[in-house]
Amino acid sequence: MILIKNAAVYAPEALGIKDVLICGGQIEAIEDEIHLSFPSCHVIEGTGKKLVPGIIDPHVHVTGGGGEGSFHTQVPPVTLSELIRGGITTVLGLLGTDGITRNTENLIARVKALKEEGLSAYACTGSYAYPSITLTGSVGRDLVFVDEIIGVKLALSDHRAPNVTVEELIRLGSDARTAGMLSGKCGIVLLHMGDAPTGLSLVLEALRQTAVPAKIYHPTHVNRKKELLNEAFSFASQGGFIDLTCGITGAGRPASCIMEAKKRGIPLDRITISSDGMGSWSTYDTVGTLLEIGYTPVDTVYKELKVLVQEYQMPLEEALCFATSNTAKSLELFPQKGCVRVGSDADLLLLDEDLTLHTVIAKGKRMMADHVLLKKGTYES
């Protein structure tokens, strides 16, 4: 049991100064005052601090990304410590360009390891490629029979994409939708978006031709360039979720894109932020030769929230939604995840007044306390 006293609670809406009781991995009570005398109950003094939901990152290459500059450019797998330092309590793992030396088996094994280490972890089957690489032989069976798999990934409008037809995209969306319904999952098609002129045209045509709801298609990296961002804003206005990637600045960093969306009246509850953590970034010349390659850390969503609040003066309760409640709703995990309410999972962050990460609690267990990691991965030194 953990009792957090006198913290300013953001659920993400501001609830005021409250005491929060955690028991069995869930939030059991949120009251003005809670008095307990159990010796086994750990008390955390939250005076002067803010208690917020843990970050949900919907795009992390948990097995490592990269490899586009040959084998020596492969990125290592993400560690538990890296995720905790980024305030991440729930992660969606996926593959990228490399669906050959990395496969769904590798991905699910790493996701299961993170779960055993104390985080909530999910996965998308597939990679950039089509037909999708899977564990069971089909996207539908992966979704229905593998607990961790909640969607499928595909690349569009990218020089590394498989250049699917609209019919193939429709079939993939239909398969994911049906399997998601059968398994009680979101059944999303997570779309890596490149900067080719085709943009979201295939997605918009798929929606025009079918009754598959817009919420099934989740385009990410939509702040890659202005034309794509404009299409994404239109897609969000039709009920779709769009994901802004930290580290991408072609149309602006996520914080500036969110402020632009707010100015235009775009539904802000359809926007999420992700890190693309451990995924490689690369630059190419005009003939497609690789010039530079690196990879992105996983603490960038937390840093972007601070930018929204401290540089763009967005109220904390508004800024939090893009990495907590919006993301939980997009993955159909809300209200189990993404909020501070009775009955929800105890995935919580305690922040200092300047938003420095003080305490991380995942599934009711402390992972960081007083700015110090309490738990590391099995093979971390």
Side-chain angles (χ1 to χ4, degrees), residues 196-325:
T198 47
L200 281 170
S201 59
L202 281 183
V203 178
L204 299 175
E205 181 61 21
L207 293 179
R208 191 187 68 80
Q209 291 189 26
T210 72
V212 175
K215 69 174 186 175
I216 294 301
Y217 299 106
H218 283 226
T220 187
H221 315 323
V222 298
N223 53 320
R224 186 181 296 278
K225 64 178 188 175
K226 289 183 179 179
E227 295 85 353
L228 180 60
L229 183 65
N230 287 333
E231 281 188 309
F233 282 167
S234 176
F235 178 68
S237 296
Q238 296 178 49
F241 284 97
I242 61 173
D243 187 59
L244 303 167
T245 304
C246 298
I248 290 179
T249 59
R253 67 184 304 161
S256 66
C257 292
I258 287 169
M259 299 308 293
E260 178 64 20
K262 188 173 184 178
K263 178 181 176 182
R264 295 196 202 179
I266 306 301
L268 298 184
D269 62 349
R270 313 309 285 182
I271 300 175
T272 64
I273 302 175
S274 66
S275 68
D276 197 13
M278 312 309 287
S280 67
W281 52 263
S282 50
T283 55
Y284 298 83
D285 64 17
T286 55
V287 296
T289 302
L290 180 66
L291 299 176
E292 188 179 19
I293 192 167
Y295 73 93
T296 305
V298 293
D299 63 353
T300 51
V301 174
Y302 163 64
K303 289 180 177 178
E304 201 69 16
L305 291 179
K306 292 179 68 175
V307 168
L308 272 170
V309 175
Q310 296 175 344
E311 296 184 24
Y312 288 86
Q313 304 302 305
M314 177 174 277
L316 179 60
E317 56 266 37
E318 291 184 31
L320 283 169
C321 296
F322 304 106
T324 60
S325 57

Side-chain angles (χ1 to χ4, degrees), residues 40-357:
S40 59
C41 182
H42 181 84
V43 179
I44 299 175
E45 181 51 59
T47 300
K49 297 179 174 59
K50 305 175 191 299
L51 186 69
V52 306
I55 290 171
I56 304 170
D57 194 329
H59 197 119
V60 176
H61 294 269
V62 295
T63 60
E68 295 171 23
S70 195
F71 298 103
H72 71 284
T73 64
Q74 290 187 337
V75 181
V78 72
T79 65
L80 177 67
S81 296
E82 289 172 307
L83 293 167
I84 295 170
R85 290 193 182 100
I88 298 167
T89 56
T90 301
V91 62
L92 180 63
L94 36 73
L95 300 177
T97 312
D98 184 6
I100 299 173
T101 70
R102 298 176 175 94
N103 54 39
T104 313
E105 289 88 344
N106 305 149
L107 175 63
I108 300 305
R110 187 69 194 120
V111 166
K112 286 180 180 291
L114 291 171
K115 288 171 65 179
E116 290 178 357
E117 290 176 328
L119 297 188
S120 297
Y122 303 89
C124 280
T125 193
S127 61
Y128 279 17
Y130 185 88
S132 305
I133 60 167
T134 64
L135 192 66
T136 65
S138 83
V139 168
R141 284 196 291 271
D142 276 14
L143 269 159
V144 171
F145 293 116
V146 183
D147 288 346
E148 292 83 3
I149 294 177
I150 62 174
V152 59
K153 184 175 179 181
L154 177 70
L156 288 183
S157 300
D158 192 282
H159 65 99
R160 299 156 294 183
N163 298 307
V164 298
T165 64
V166 67
E167 290 78 16
E168 289 169 332
L169 180 61
I170 287 171
R171 174 53 53 202
L172 189 61
S174 298
D175 288 348
R177 166 68 170 169
T178 302
M181 294 171 68
L182 292 173
S183 57
K185 300 173 182 176
C186 57
I188 61 170
V189 180
L190 195 152
L191 298 168
H192 162 99
M193 299 304 303
D195 56 9
T198 47
L200 281 170
S201 59
L202 281 183
V203 178
L204 299 175
E205 181 61 21
L207 293 179
R208 191 187 68 80
Q209 291 189 26
T210 72
V212 175
K215 69 174 186 175
I216 294 301
Y217 299 106
H218 283 226
T220 187
H221 315 323
V222 298
N223 53 320
R224 186 181 296 278
K225 64 178 188 175
K226 289 183 179 179
E227 295 85 353
L228 180 60
L229 183 65
N230 287 333
E231 281 188 309
F233 282 167
S234 176
F235 178 68
S237 296
Q238 296 178 49
F241 284 97
I242 61 173
D243 187 59
L244 303 167
T245 304
C246 298
I248 290 179
T249 59
R253 67 184 304 161
S256 66
C257 292
I258 287 169
M259 299 308 293
E260 178 64 20
K262 188 173 184 178
K263 178 181 176 182
R264 295 196 202 179
I266 306 301
L268 298 184
D269 62 349
R270 313 309 285 182
I271 300 175
T272 64
I273 302 175
S274 66
S275 68
D276 197 13
M278 312 309 287
S280 67
W281 52 263
S282 50
T283 55
Y284 298 83
D285 64 17
T286 55
V287 296
T289 302
L290 180 66
L291 299 176
E292 188 179 19
I293 192 167
Y295 73 93
T296 305
V298 293
D299 63 353
T300 51
V301 174
Y302 163 64
K303 289 180 177 178
E304 201 69 16
L305 291 179
K306 292 179 68 175
V307 168
L308 272 170
V309 175
Q310 296 175 344
E311 296 184 24
Y312 288 86
Q313 304 302 305
M314 177 174 277
L316 179 60
E317 56 266 37
E318 291 184 31
L320 283 169
C321 296
F322 304 106
T324 60
S325 57
N326 287 4
T327 316
K329 290 172 183 176
S330 75
L331 301 178
E332 297 187 6
L333 299 175
F334 189 87
Q336 178 189 358
K337 304 286 186 185
C339 60
V340 182
R341 65 169 65 176
V342 174
S344 296
D345 288 351
D347 296 334
L348 302 166
L349 310 179
L350 198 60
L351 308 177
D352 292 328
E353 189 61 36
D354 64 356
L355 304 186
T356 299
L357 200 56

